[in-house]
Amino acid sequence: MTDNPVQKAPSLEAKSPFELRVDLGRHVPETDVRTALAGGDMGFLHSFTTGSTLDGPGVRVVAWLTGCQFRCLYCHNPDTWKLTNGVPVTLERAVAQLGKYRRGLKVMKGGFTISGGEPLMQDRFVVKLFTAARSMGIHTALDTNGALGHRLTDKDLEQVDLVLLDIKAWDPQHHRQLTGMELGPVLDFARRLAARKKSAWLRYVLVPGWTDVPEDIAGLADFAAGLGIFERVDVLPLHQMGAFKWKQLGMEYTLRDVPPPTKEIVERTCAQFRAVGLTAY
Ligand code: SF4
């Protein structure tokens, strides 16, 4: 590594992932970025947040990693798309940060979640961080869009106690239009998790006019129920808390005028998942 960029790094903690963070790792040379990605001894983090009760069981510490290959039209954190918007941090520093919460997490029966961005853009860093977490007795959860699941070996997967799998759309064309990427690899990863009987939660963002089509939800619900691994389904209504980031980044936010789904549509969607035997919130 050159010029010890880590010493200049700002605080890892944020009040929430909705803090806009840009260019915090811009000074890291391209070759060092490549080395970091290949080895996982350094990563790029938007932030650490504490106290989440939504990102896995119990109270969670969440590491929000930067880098994402999806371009979801509703993304709440587009500042996480670019890897070098994140704080460059050594594995050692990230593990030390996590260690601070160790006792509290045990008391609150919580754990450590890695989210993003798409964490598997930094798959080696994720595996090393989870390995360290588990050696401290901390439960691990990976929040992922699943498309890069092939980067994890079966041995790597053993370091993940729970996968929070975000399936963005059931209709392949909608998935492409909504995310810019294909649905197939996501479903392949879901099937692989099922083959390994890996505990998982399904996350589904409900976007009026995009992902609220009852036939699509029924198809996803059947698929999810058939896998037999989803302990719960979280139906997440679209919100506009990240809209300001699109504006500040000078990007056009095309879902600006889309309202959140009504309570009735949220409830109808949950009911479709429950109808096939899944627990949905
Ligand atoms: S996968 Fe997540 S971080 Fe990536 S674009 Fe979609 S919502 Fe944003």
Side-chain angles (χ1 to χ4, degrees):
M1 302 289 163
T2 55
D3 196 23
N4 197 2
V6 173
Q7 276 183 4
K8 300 174 190 166
S11 165
L12 291 183
E13 292 184 38
K15 286 200 180 78
S16 92
F18 292 107
E19 278 184 19
L20 180 75
R21 293 192 160 188
V22 291
D23 279 346
L24 298 177
R26 71 181 180 284
H27 53 283
V28 181
E30 182 66 32
T31 48
D32 290 354
V33 172
R34 276 203 293 273
T35 305
L37 291 177
D41 291 324
M42 186 178 94
F44 293 81
L45 273 114
H46 176 280
S47 56
F48 266 98
T49 59
T50 55
S52 166
T53 53
L54 303 172
D55 301 294
V59 177
R60 315 293 297 183
V61 168
V62 184
W64 306 90
L65 267 56
T66 48
C68 188
Q69 83 285 42
F70 277 28
R71 293 291 178 265
C72 299
L73 296 180
Y74 57 71
C75 185
H76 307 141
N77 294 308
D79 51 335
T80 63
W81 291 356
K82 190 174 154 197
L83 189 82
T84 53
N85 273 352
V87 183
V89 56
T90 60
L91 179 69
E92 200 182 0
R93 183 177 174 209
V95 171
Q97 182 82 11
L98 181 60
K100 288 188 203 165
Y101 310 117
R102 178 185 190 175
R103 196 163 301 164
L105 290 177
K106 205 159 267 182
V107 171
M108 292 183 285
K109 295 190 177 14
F112 175 49
T113 299
I114 303 186
S115 186
E118 168 46 51
L120 296 184
M121 294 288 284
Q122 303 188 53
D123 55 289
R124 291 307 93 196
F125 185 63
V126 167
V127 171
K128 287 189 172 177
L129 209 41
F130 275 164
T131 303
R134 290 182 95 247
S135 73
M136 288 191 267
I138 297 173
H139 176 276
T140 60
L142 173 67
D143 180 17
T144 176
N145 63 39
L148 298 176
H150 59 274
R151 290 188 174 184
L152 297 179
T153 65
D154 288 348
K155 197 159 177 285
D156 293 338
L157 268 176
E158 287 169 16
Q159 302 305 324
V160 184
D161 293 312
L162 176 74
V163 175
L164 310 178
L165 182 63
D166 302 83
I167 298 186
K168 310 288 187 184
W170 179 247
D171 177 87
Q173 197 179 336
H174 275 167
H175 191 277
R176 207 174 297 125
Q177 290 168 340
L178 195 60
T179 69
M181 301 298 283
E182 297 296 323
L183 175 63
V186 179
L187 302 188
D188 287 346
F189 185 54
R191 292 187 192 99
R192 180 162 162 238
L193 294 176
R196 299 194 54 74
K197 300 195 180 347
K198 179 62 66 182
S199 298
W201 292 6
L202 174 63
R203 308 184 114 191
Y204 186 67
V205 179
L206 197 55
V207 187
W210 283 91
T211 63
D212 59 349
V213 179
E215 293 74 20
D216 292 347
I217 295 162
L220 175 59
D222 281 341
F223 173 76
L227 294 180
I229 51 167
F230 290 112
E231 295 168 5
R232 61 186 267 174
V233 180
D234 286 323
V235 174
L236 308 168
L238 172 78
H239 63 70
Q240 301 288 7
M241 284 168 69
F244 81 97
K245 288 190 174 182
W246 289 74
K247 195 168 178 205
Q248 290 193 15
L249 292 168
M251 291 162 27
E252 194 192 354
Y253 180 53
T254 54
L255 300 193
R256 179 175 60 241
D257 298 323
V258 177
T262 62
K263 265 188 182 163
E264 289 71 25
I265 291 178
V266 174
E267 192 41 49
R268 185 197 72 198
T269 304
C270 288
Q272 285 191 270
F273 285 109
R274 290 180 194 131
V276 293
L278 295 165
T279 301
Y281 298 97

